[in-house]
Amino acid sequence: MLKLRRMPIGAMLIEEGAVTQDQLDIALAEQQRARDGRRIGEILVSLRFLSETNLLQTLARQLECDLVDLNASPPDEAALAIVPSEFAMRHHLVPLSQSDNILTVAMADPLDILAADDLRLLTGLDVRPVLAAATDIRRVCEQSYMSRIIQDVQEAERAVEDEDSLDVADLQKMAREELVIQMVNLIINQAIQDRASDIHIEPFERELRVRYRVDGVLHEVNAPPRRYHPALVSRIKILSDLNIAERRLPQDGRMKIRAAGRQIDLRVSTVPTIYGEGVVMRILDKQTAMLGLTELGMPRDMFHQFRRLIEEPHGIILVTGPTGSGKTTTLYAALSEIYSVQKKIITVEDPVEYQLNGVNQIQVQPQIGLTFANGLRSIVRQDPDVVMVGEIRDHETAEIAIQAALTGHLVFSTLHTNDAAGAVSRLLDMGAEPYLVASSLIGVVAQRLVRLICSRCKAPYVEKPEAMREVGIENADLPNGMLTRGEGCPECRGLGFRGRSGIYEMLTVDETIRSMITRREPAGVVKQYAQQSQSMRTMLQDGRQKAIQGETTIQEVLRVCQREEFSI
């Protein structure tokens, strides 16, 4: 049994000269502020006051246990066979070797007594924990178990050559095979561990491709052999309550799983392709997706401005941007901010992705006539204070939303436009009367999502002058003449990015803009006025400021912003 030495880790690090007292005080203050369960060592590493290697060496001395480098000491196949992949990934451990009645296990937290006890009951062996880097454990765990499953598959006697010849009984039997269950579980668990938002399973002529969308970008991962594609799809269909016999038409379903100690919903979509059914699973993890208003990444002045808008008693507030730009997250954060028992909040969405406490949420079902327009028309008669419409798609929905705002309701919704001023033109193009739009619209937020530089491998560098000119950055804007980028590390899988944040622009409707809307002034004229008279910061300008502050890169800003915005 491991025992802690009396000296706390912070004091040990100071004694060894690894950190200073001031750095420790900053980390302790951050730990108190964040209250996210992170230990002081993790925070010191994230603040770049301490390297992960130095932290692990000190932790090993404090815990009086061995420190292992998983790159130099890979796990034994026999040890991997003892511990199921789901258990290892859930408890963040890797079985390394077995000697007599002792199982040596690499753990990120060797003091996790519950995990050790569960493993002892599972295997019937005594557990000897050793310390290893959390990032190495996750990587080795994923690679080792997927490689082992693929090896088992390759050794399997039965191979499927012709998918069309399989009947329902064959598919049901294959979907319940232990090997197939393990493959599906591992694909999903690995995606959750990697913070993926979507899982793509794509069949091609000679291979099966599995990709995860992490921070908005797709990355390929290890995939099972092509011949197991029908079994994987059938397993996913059974879990999603879909028809496994129907392989010619698209289908949509949903499943619930428990992973990492919490319930996670997956929205499943299948489509027929020339080489079999493609599957996309959207991971709906409330813990990672539900952000507070302060966590959206809005600049301070815009944050206060937006907060004032959402506290208005009536009017329409629109959030615009392309699919996947975080519009729903912003709306959910706003609703959570203004919720109280004195207010009735009703939403109509397609689909309802996350359940909000205290909010009445309606799922659009066009097949039975429950559209956005019909749903909105009904909920206005439910005596709401605040209404959220997932998207304004047509003239009818726009008209009802405007009438709801004019009759004393606060209405939130989204539009697909390139910038904030473009929302006005879109409403008018839908046939809404200019004087009604001018009377009801109170504010528009446009947004995009940019990847954040990984805090573990962040480093300064000198950017090319032409790239800096493209977003309007001058050398005088930079404190040391250098920008920041991620060099790539195991924590970010060598990408240099980890996590995302929004870049925003906000248009507030004042009397001048109301007059411009009534006169049907072009969106460009409205935007120019807002920049000159309201000091509106555009998305490009917000992204530029985040690049200067070392939060993201110029290339990320250019990736999500349209080229015509650069001249503004």
Side-chain angles (χ1 to χ4, degrees), residues 30 36 38-39 41-52 135 138 195 215 451-460 484-500 549-553:
E30 172 65 18
D36 55 4
R38 287 188 300 164
R39 300 194 175 190
E42 295 178 67
I43 297 174
L44 286 167
V45 172
S46 68
L47 293 172
R48 300 183 63 83
F49 293 157
L50 179 70
S51 71
E52 187 176 40
T135 52
R138 185 185 65 190
R195 303 174 300 105
D215 295 334
R451 291 182 292 175
L452 296 174
I453 299 170
C454 175
S455 59
R456 295 285 179 92
C457 58
K458 182 184 290 188
T484 308
R485 66 182 174 189
E487 296 183 330
C489 66
E491 180 69 18
C492 62
R493 294 181 170 272
L495 301 173
F497 297 99
R498 184 170 173 81
R500 287 191 292 178
Q549 293 170 349
E551 297 177 30
T552 189
T553 65

Side-chain angles (χ1 to χ4, degrees), residues 216-227:
V217 179
L218 284 170
H219 304 283
E220 192 167 355
V221 297
N222 287 334
R226 171 69 176 82
R227 62 180 179 270

